[in-house]
């Protein structure tokens, strides 16, 4: 694992030496996020977001475990117990707002983390497994976020559960049976609420486990970098600690500033007022929308309005799940050997268009289903699939990339108007 | 102890034992049998773990509901509840029945006539679940003054599915007509659903 010049853990204190012999846990940490992990010297602030996602998960687990001490997962009292957390439990409002906004922060940094991977080609060989595990984490996060949103048992919670479990009824023949099995009833009720609570508590720990695999898989080839060029020698890297622990510290501080702004100044900005009305199975809110982080996928679901061989509803559900499952194939859809979009002038533009396209999908997902919005959603959804299935393979075959630097060090020195590349770098 | 013929001189090893070549060997058979036994046991334990997710007895016990329909005037509808899902009971006017029967059944997404969706001689009583067949929202149109949509039946505000006066899907993403539950008229004014 890692590079031959990585520093070795040498405990100096007798106690640490004793511990290292019995259980080399400090050694593991040292090699994972300490001085024993050499990292490219040229990482920019986009490389903060992995650590930020980890910090967000810790916040969610800590606030979530505490909230579970006050929450009651029963349809008759769940809504009241959340209100009691807000009004009666000491600092309960703070814990709940931190947990609710923490979910948004978690998804936000993960989206940027995914975007970083797309731009700098971090999904390509030899890091395919890192990417695949990342997509698994993303799917687990979506399931966890959805089930967590059901727990307050407000109107949006209830109808969100109704609509999302309704996806499964689109499956031919067995769909309704599966839906009733998932819900434990004919509509969301106590049984569904209880099992969602159980799984919402479980899944974050599963996510933590997959994150360990994600980091493990990352540490075999080592981190990617903004040039996408492989590390060629010791002069291309610096130890993770103290260089990137310090840089990540800056990012964490900014993250907490933004997070605190939401929690203390507009805690309900990203929520829906309807969720402060208790769940009512006999009345649907006029305008059902999911949380912001699901809107692009919701827009893809909504963009199928006519039957074509299969029912429109099944198409919508297939396309929505397909839009995420597609990401599993990304390392093989992009055949360009150049990783970083900085050296791929054509791909770079299409990637910027894709980001814009996802933002359009997000807008359509939250907007009312007028003819204009539906049309816009259909075009944007079609482009999303075209990007991965048509544009990306064609561009990676036809594109003429810009010349790559010979090494990370050469790129860094050139950027700062430094000396000409050294002989070692050229030889590397 | 029974006498055993033993021709090996003291101090020498017995000839190595060669097991007769069977395929599978006795040992393979025991291995397969033991793992299969454990596998059957594992499946037997998984079954209740899966089945516990299905609706429990108290949820299934709510499966019939009696409704008094004597107070519903023609053109009116009520929202009731059946298996914790909304249920629409609608007393159609002759005009609405006419509109439903004027439609060419072959042109519908889910072809059904009004007669197939009601009981003989009770064609004015349209009893459906109030659950949109798209993703399960409650359509509007049963309450006084609610939007009945372009076909005068029900309109789902979530994704814009429109149902006609027979509760049939006419426009929007829903794949099927509003479901008609099993029900019987126990008297002229009481319906038992389920």
């Amino acid at each position: 694992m890692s590079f031959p010049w990585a520093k070795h853990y040498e405990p100096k204190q007798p106690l640490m030496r004793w511990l290292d012999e019995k259980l080399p846990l400090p050694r593991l940490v040292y090699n994972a996020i300490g001085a024993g992990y050499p990292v490219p010297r040229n990482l920019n602030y986009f490389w903060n977001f992995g650590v930020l996602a980890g910090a967000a998960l810790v916040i969610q687990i800590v606030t979530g475990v505490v909230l579970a001490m006050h929450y009651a997962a029963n349809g008759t009292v769940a809504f009241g117990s959340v209100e009691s957390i807000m009004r009666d439990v000491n600092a309960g409002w703070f814990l709940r707002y931190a947990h609710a906004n923490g979910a948004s922060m978690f998804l936000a940094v993960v989206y940027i983390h995914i975007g970083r991977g797309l731009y700098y080609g971090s999904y390509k060989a030899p890091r395919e497994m890192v990417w695949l595990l990342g997509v698994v984490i993303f799917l687990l996060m979506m399931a966890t976020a959805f089930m967590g949103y059901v727990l307050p048992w407000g109107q949006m919670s209830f109808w969100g559960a109704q609509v999302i479990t309704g996806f499964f009824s689109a499956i031919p023949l067995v769909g309704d049976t599966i839906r009733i099995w998932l819900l434990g009833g004919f509509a969301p009720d106590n049984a569904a609420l209880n099992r969602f609570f159980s799984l919402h508590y479980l899944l974050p720990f599963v996510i933590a486990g997959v994150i360990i695999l994600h980091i493990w898989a990352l540490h075999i080839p080592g981190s990617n970098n903004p040039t996408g060029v492989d590390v060629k020698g010791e002069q291309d890297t610096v130890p993770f600690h103290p260089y990137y622990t310090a840089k990540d510290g800056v990012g964490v501080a900014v993250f907490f500033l933004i997070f605190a702004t939401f929690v203390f100044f507009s805690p309900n900005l990203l929520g829906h007022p309807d969720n402060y009305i208790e769940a009512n199975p006999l009345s649907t809110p006029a305008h059902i929308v999911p949380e912001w982080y699901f809107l692009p996928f919701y827009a893809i679901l909504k963009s199928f309005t006519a039957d074509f061989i299969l029912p429109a509803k099944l198409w919508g559900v297939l396309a929505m799940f397909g839009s995420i499952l597609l990401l599993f194939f990304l390392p093989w859809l992009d055949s360009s050997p150049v990783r970083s979009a900085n050296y791929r002038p054509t791909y770079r533009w299409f990637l910027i268009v894709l980001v814009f396209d996802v933002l359009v999908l997000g807008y359509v997902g939250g907007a009312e289903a007028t003819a204009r919005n539906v049309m816009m959603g259909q075009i944007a959804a079609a482009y999303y699939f075209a990007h991965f299935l048509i544009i990306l393979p064609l561009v990676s075959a036809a594109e003429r990339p810009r010349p790559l630097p010979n090494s990370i060090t050469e790129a860094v020195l050139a950027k700062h108007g430094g000396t000409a590349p050294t002989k070692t770098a050229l030889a590397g | 102890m029974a006498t055993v013929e033993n021709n090996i001189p003291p101090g020498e090893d017995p000839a190595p034992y060669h097991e007769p070549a069977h395929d599978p060997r006795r040992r393979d058979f025991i291995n397969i049998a033991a793992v299969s036994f454990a596998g059957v046991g594992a499946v037997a334990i998984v079954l209740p773990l899966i089945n516990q997710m299905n609706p429990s007895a108290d949820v299934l016990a709510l499966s019939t509901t009696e409704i008094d329909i004597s107070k519903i005037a023609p053109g009116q509808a009520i929202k009731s509840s059946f298996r914790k899902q909304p249920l629409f009971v609608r007393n159609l006017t002759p005009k609405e029945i006419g509109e439903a029967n004027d439609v060419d059944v072959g042109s519908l997404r889910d072809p059904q006539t009004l007669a197939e969706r009601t009981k003989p001689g009770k064609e004015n009583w349209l009893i459906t679940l109030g659950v949109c067949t798209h993703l399960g929202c409650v359509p509007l149109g049963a309450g006084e003054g609610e939007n009945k949509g372009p076909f005068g039946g029900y309109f789902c505000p979530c994704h814009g599915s429109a149902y006609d006066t027979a509760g049939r899907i006419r426009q929007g993403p829903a794949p099927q007509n509003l479901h008609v539950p099993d029900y019987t008229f126990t008297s002229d004014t009481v319906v038992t659903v389920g």
Side-chain angles (χ1 to χ4, degrees):
Chain A
M1 192 153 103
S2 195
F3 301 107
W5 56 88
K7 285 185 193 159
H8 289 284
Y9 180 66
E10 281 158 14
K12 294 189 182 68
Q13 282 183 318
L15 178 67
M16 294 306 277
R17 249 199 315 274
W18 179 85
L19 182 61
D20 189 50
E21 281 169 16
K22 316 297 170 197
L23 179 74
L25 194 62
R27 178 179 294 271
L28 183 77
V29 173
Y30 182 89
N31 289 332
I33 52 168
Y37 179 48
V39 187
R41 63 192 277 187
N42 60 337
L43 301 191
N44 59 31
Y45 276 107
F46 278 111
W47 266 261
N48 276 4
F49 287 86
V51 164
L52 295 183
L57 178 68
V58 171
I59 293 170
Q60 289 306 88
I61 289 179
V62 170
T63 53
V65 167
V66 177
L67 284 170
M69 296 176 186
H70 303 282
Y71 171 77
N74 182 302
T76 52
V77 293
F79 186 81
S81 76
V82 173
E83 284 306 302
S84 121
I85 287 171
M86 293 301 288
R87 293 151 197 257
D88 301 342
V89 174
N90 299 314
W93 63 271
F94 169 68
L95 292 165
R96 177 166 173 266
Y97 279 154
H99 196 70
N101 287 285
S104 282
M105 294 298 287
F106 193 7
L107 265 301
V109 295
V110 162
Y111 278 128
I112 297 173
H113 189 61
I114 294 172
R116 191 283 316 267
L118 287 175
Y119 188 88
Y120 293 110
S122 304
Y123 51 87
K124 292 189 187 183
R127 296 183 188 82
E128 306 97 311
M129 186 52 74
V130 185
W131 173 261
L132 297 181
L133 290 167
V135 180
V136 170
I137 294 169
F138 181 46
L139 284 170
L140 287 169
M141 280 175 66
M142 294 178 92
T144 310
F146 156 64
M147 287 191 277
Y149 194 58
V150 174
L151 301 184
W153 211 234
Q155 273 287 67
M156 282 295 179
S157 300
F158 181 90
W159 290 99
Q162 174 83 314
V163 168
I164 294 197
T165 56
F167 296 163
F168 293 91
S169 68
I171 301 167
L173 302 175
V174 293
D176 277 319
T177 315
I178 290 177
R179 178 168 183 273
I180 290 169
W181 178 74
L182 285 171
L183 286 174
F186 302 96
D189 201 11
N190 226 4
L193 181 61
N194 266 295
R195 65 189 57 175
F196 284 3
F197 179 57
S198 167
L199 294 173
H200 182 71
Y201 205 118
L202 167 72
L203 287 184
F205 298 99
V206 178
I207 292 176
V210 184
I211 286 175
I212 290 174
L213 300 183
H214 188 66
I215 297 173
W216 188 4
L218 171 70
H219 280 44
I220 292 167
S223 299
N224 188 24
N225 69 86
T227 63
V229 174
D230 284 330
V231 168
K232 304 230 164 101
E234 194 173 354
Q235 75 281 3
D236 287 345
T237 65
V238 289
F240 188 87
H241 179 75
Y243 291 92
Y244 287 113
T245 41
K247 187 158 183 161
D248 285 334
V250 176
V252 168
V254 174
F255 171 83
F256 272 108
L257 282 177
I258 298 170
F259 185 30
T261 310
F262 276 110
V263 171
F264 295 114
F265 293 98
S266 57
N268 289 307
L269 181 71
L270 301 169
H272 300 288
D274 274 8
N275 219 27
Y276 285 103
I277 304 168
E278 192 167 2
N280 178 0
L282 297 185
S283 157
T284 310
H287 188 53
I288 296 190
V289 280
E291 291 282 81
W292 68 267
Y293 37 81
F294 290 143
L295 289 176
F297 304 103
Y298 196 58
I300 292 174
L301 173 83
K302 288 200 291 186
S303 59
F304 290 83
T305 49
D307 294 0
F308 173 69
I309 306 173
L310 299 174
K313 174 176 160 181
L314 182 55
W315 275 117
V317 173
L318 287 176
M320 191 186 64
F321 284 111
S323 65
I324 301 166
L325 298 181
L326 194 58
L327 298 177
F328 280 115
F329 299 94
L330 181 61
W332 297 276
L333 288 169
D334 183 354
S335 59
S336 170
V338 178
R339 295 198 189 99
S340 170
N342 281 347
Y343 302 96
R344 301 182 63 189
T346 321
Y347 169 74
R348 189 165 181 261
W349 277 113
F350 280 112
L351 188 62
I352 291 167
V353 174
L354 179 74
V355 171
F356 181 70
D357 182 69
V358 171
L359 293 176
V360 170
L361 280 173
Y363 166 76
V364 172
E368 282 191 53
T370 60
R372 186 185 71 105
N373 284 339
V374 169
M375 175 71 84
M376 224 158 75
Q378 287 169 336
I379 294 169
Y383 184 82
Y384 179 90
F385 285 96
H387 173 90
F388 289 104
L389 295 175
I390 303 168
I391 295 171
L392 191 55
L394 288 182
V395 165
S396 47
E399 182 179 48
R400 186 192 172 92
R402 291 171 45 208
L404 289 171
N406 289 311
S407 74
I408 291 169
T409 301
E410 185 195 288
V412 171
L413 293 180
K415 194 173 164 189
H416 295 284
T419 51
T422 58
K423 271 203 176 127
T424 31
L426 286 172
Chain B
M1 198 172 164
T3 54
V4 176
E5 216 172 303
N6 188 352
N7 298 329
I8 304 167
E12 283 186 32
D13 289 336
Y17 171 72
H18 289 290
E19 194 186 9
H22 289 301
D23 203 23
R25 293 181 304 146
R26 250 169 71 86
R27 198 166 287 246
D28 289 336
F29 176 80
I30 291 168
N31 277 344
I32 293 166
V35 172
S36 309
F37 187 77
V40 170
V43 171
I45 292 166
V46 166
L47 278 177
L49 286 175
I50 292 172
N51 195 33
Q52 54 81 23
M53 297 265 286
N54 275 318
S56 55
D58 61 321
V59 173
L60 293 173
L62 297 170
S63 50
T64 59
T65 307
E66 281 203 346
I67 299 166
D68 179 2
I69 56 169
S70 58
K71 298 271 164 38
I72 311 172
Q76 271 190 335
I78 61 160
K79 280 186 206 175
S80 182
S81 153
F82 167 62
R83 292 178 173 173
K84 300 236 171 174
Q85 292 171 291
L87 182 78
F88 293 164
V89 182
R90 183 159 173 169
N91 191 350
L92 299 174
T93 60
K95 180 168 165 284
E96 287 172 333
I97 294 172
E99 279 172 15
N101 287 332
D102 284 345
V103 179
D104 172 20
V105 174
S107 70
L108 296 173
R109 184 177 298 172
D110 185 5
Q112 271 186 320
T113 62
L114 180 63
E116 285 167 1
R117 296 174 56 76
T118 52
K119 299 287 174 196
K122 306 272 189 190
E123 286 214 341
N124 58 322
W125 291 107
L126 179 69
I127 301 180
T128 61
L129 288 182
V131 178
C132 179
T133 57
H134 181 222
L135 292 172
C137 297
V138 180
L140 301 172
E144 206 70 49
E146 282 179 0
N147 180 5
K148 293 185 174 182
F151 298 93
Y154 300 104
F155 178 73
C156 182
C158 291
H159 304 97
S161 293
Y163 298 88
D164 67 10
T165 52
R168 295 174 298 199
I169 180 66
R170 297 290 291 276
Q171 201 181 67
Q176 288 161 0
N177 301 335
L178 289 180
H179 291 302
V180 177
D182 288 332
Y183 67 93
T184 48
F185 281 89
T186 32
S187 74
D188 272 355
T189 56
V190 177
V191 179
T192 305
V193 184

